Amino acid sequence: MTQELEKAKSMTDDVFQTIANHEQVVFCNDTATGLQAIIAIHDTTLGPALGGTRMYPYASVTEALQDVLRLAEGMTYKCAAADLDFGGGKAVIIGDPAKDKSAALFRAYGQFVDSLNGRFYTGTDMGTTMDDFVQATRETNYINGLPEAYGGGGDSSIPTSQGVMYGLKATNYYLYGDTELKNRTFAIQGLGKVGYKVAEQLLHAGARLYVTDLDEGALQNIAKRAQELHGEIRIVNHQEIYQTDADVFVPCAMGSVINDETVKHLSVKAVVGSANNQLATNGHAKILQDKGILYAPDYIVNMGGLIQVADELYGPNKDRVMFKTKTIYQALLDIYREAELDAITTVEAANRMCEARLAEQKERNSFYARTRRPKWDIKE
Ligand code: NAD
């Protein structure tokens, strides 16, 4: 065996094992612009794959591949949870967003996305912005999450925060038998695009708040708003937010905030927030359950933004997005009840709901249905 063949063999022999759960993985290499990207399509049972494109200076291609495979699989569940006619996919661009971006790079990326002919729709994620996709969309129509001026739905944190409010009401109903948030107490971690809007709506509803943020300006903003609304608010530091006497902890900052250390301190009745990947591990869902804390699975609570991005392909319509976002209320109640009846965690119940939707669609799908062009894409 030649040296080249041996090298190629060591690189490729395991490749199908690595991507065993995924339908398709595309490596994109454009020497002119320096673009190196990987697009992973996990499952198109429900429709064409949908998922953002992340740009990150991965230490190795293996690390980038692992990340994109994991994220694409997560999108299959998120799309199923939101009852969208989309499957799961994701892409990563290997590079430093601060140094390696150019209009040409995103146009080249747009051409790769276009070459998949509608099997993959994408938009922003960590490290990429709407401006990058304004460049990409010059080469392809399979882009979403664009600015309103380009036919996009605009700020996704509006439906996301609305979804969190539905999640909080469903949880209140499950725990106390009504959706009245007045005089309940919430501990909000993170007052950014989503957290601020949630805090504001809770103040409107007459709830009491504990809030924290690393950004002093964000704290001042909400304190001022609370004063205007005559609301009750207490600013606490980033450790104290886990130790309050609030009814509900509302994580709206970063992931892995429910971990071995923090879970010891929580004495709330429920955890309901927008942050992605709140649990350090799925085992923490069981720890919460054993402590009598109801956990609203994050990907159900925060699906308002995804609903808007997917819905955009039918033409922007804020009312329709809000109508669909409202389904979070019932979905959460169903998950809470199923978890209780079957003595499983709420994460297991949510995953089970998604898997049932996928199985049901698999039954329905003929090969023709699986490869049909989405109805919004049929222009002739
Ligand atoms: P953002 O960046 O606008 O706000 C995050 C806020 O959290 C910032 O104000 C930041 O200072 C604060 N923060 C960071 N670390 C903190 C810490 N340790 N303690 C306290 N505060 C901290 O982000 P966003 O758009 O509001 O999103 C919030 C979360 O919701 C993220 O996890 C995001 O992935 C998730 N999410 C957002 C959307 C959306 O539509 N924006 C959709 C789905 C999920």
Side-chain angles (χ1 to χ4, degrees):
M1 201 186 299
T2 65
Q3 246 183 344
E4 285 77 27
L5 192 60
E6 243 176 276
K7 194 173 158 208
K9 189 171 154 44
S10 71
M11 281 194 307
T12 53
D13 266 6
D14 292 340
V15 77
F16 282 105
Q17 210 179 331
T18 308
I19 66 163
N21 294 324
H22 291 68
E23 286 180 17
Q24 190 176 8
V25 178
V26 183
F27 286 77
C28 315
N29 186 37
D30 181 53
T31 46
T33 59
L35 172 75
Q36 288 193 331
I38 312 173
I39 299 171
I41 295 177
H42 175 252
D43 188 304
T44 58
T45 303
L46 298 177
L50 173 70
T53 299
R54 182 166 284 198
M55 186 166 185
Y56 189 77
Y58 291 100
S60 66
V61 177
T62 307
E63 199 185 283
L65 181 61
Q66 270 175 350
D67 206 28
V68 77
L69 294 176
R70 178 182 64 85
L71 293 165
E73 183 171 0
M75 287 307 297
T76 298
Y77 280 77
K78 286 187 175 195
C79 289
D83 204 15
L84 301 175
D85 296 326
F86 278 102
K90 200 89 182 183
V92 293
I93 295 176
I94 302 170
D96 184 342
K99 291 198 294 222
D100 299 329
K101 278 188 183 179
S102 68
L105 182 132
F106 278 92
R107 287 186 71 159
Y109 178 61
Q111 291 185 344
F112 280 109
V113 171
D114 202 60
S115 72
L116 288 167
N117 208 18
R119 270 179 59 72
F120 176 61
Y121 284 74
T122 194
T124 59
D125 196 77
M126 230 170 70
T128 57
T129 66
M130 287 201 218
D131 286 344
D132 300 330
F133 286 93
V134 165
Q135 295 303 329
T137 202
R138 293 167 73 181
E139 305 292 338
T140 181
N141 287 327
Y142 305 118
I143 299 292
N144 42 19
L146 287 168
E148 282 180 274
Y150 285 82
D155 182 358
S156 68
S157 69
I158 297 170
T160 303
S161 59
Q162 202 55 46
V164 176
M165 290 306 295
Y166 285 124
L168 291 170
K169 284 184 182 162
T171 305
N172 204 79
Y173 185 78
Y174 189 75
L175 290 174
Y176 307 112
D178 64 55
T179 57
E180 183 62 72
L181 301 179
K182 193 171 164 51
N183 296 328
R184 298 255 174 248
T185 311
F186 299 85
I188 307 180
Q189 180 183 49
L191 297 157
K193 294 184 288 296
V194 178
Y196 178 87
K197 295 182 185 75
V198 170
E200 194 181 34
Q201 290 177 72
L202 285 172
L203 287 169
H204 267 295
R208 287 191 288 257
L209 305 185
Y210 289 101
V211 294
T212 193
D213 198 293
L214 301 180
D215 176 9
E216 196 53 40
L219 292 170
Q220 278 168 15
N221 283 345
I222 198 64
K224 185 163 167 267
R225 192 71 186 119
Q227 217 170 18
E228 285 162 8
L229 296 170
H230 306 291
E232 213 179 302
I233 195 166
R234 246 183 84 187
I235 293 172
V236 295
N237 72 33
H238 64 279
Q239 305 289 355
E240 289 166 344
I241 199 73
Y242 301 107
Q243 299 167 14
T244 70
D245 59 1
D247 298 299
V248 185
F249 174 50
V250 187
C252 294
M254 67 301 174
S256 293
V257 290
I258 310 286
N259 53 46
D260 288 344
E261 178 51 32
T262 59
V263 81
K264 287 192 284 208
H265 302 294
L266 286 177
S267 62
V268 288
K269 308 276 186 319
V271 177
V272 184
S274 75
N276 274 315
N277 306 319
Q278 289 164 29
L279 304 177
T281 68
N282 274 349
H284 288 91
K286 181 78 173 82
I287 299 175
L288 286 176
Q289 188 183 36
D290 291 345
K291 285 187 69 145
I293 300 175
L294 190 60
Y295 175 65
D298 46 17
Y299 73 90
I300 307 291
V301 176
N302 72 19
M303 71 194 187
L306 176 65
I307 287 173
Q308 170 163 300
V309 164
D311 187 82
E312 188 180 301
L313 297 164
Y314 295 96
N317 183 322
K318 292 189 195 312
D319 291 342
R320 193 173 55 219
V321 170
M322 283 305 157
F323 185 77
K324 290 184 183 175
T325 300
K326 207 172 176 178
T327 58
I328 291 173
Y329 180 88
Q330 193 55 49
L332 260 188
L333 283 181
D334 291 347
I335 287 164
Y336 290 157
R337 286 190 184 121
E338 179 146 338
E340 187 178 336
L341 279 175
D342 291 353
I344 54 177
T345 68
T346 50
V347 172
E348 287 165 330
N351 289 347
R352 200 194 258 186
M353 177 187 84
C354 297
E355 281 151 15
R357 281 184 182 163
L358 285 162
E360 191 189 307
Q361 187 65 29
K362 269 201 177 102
E363 290 263 298
R364 198 156 39 221
N365 277 358
S366 63
F367 182 72
Y368 168 73
R370 216 154 80 86
T371 55
R372 77 192 189 280
R373 290 170 68 190
K375 46 186 174 294
W376 58 79
D377 188 37
I378 298 171
K379 300 192 177 76
E380 56 275 349

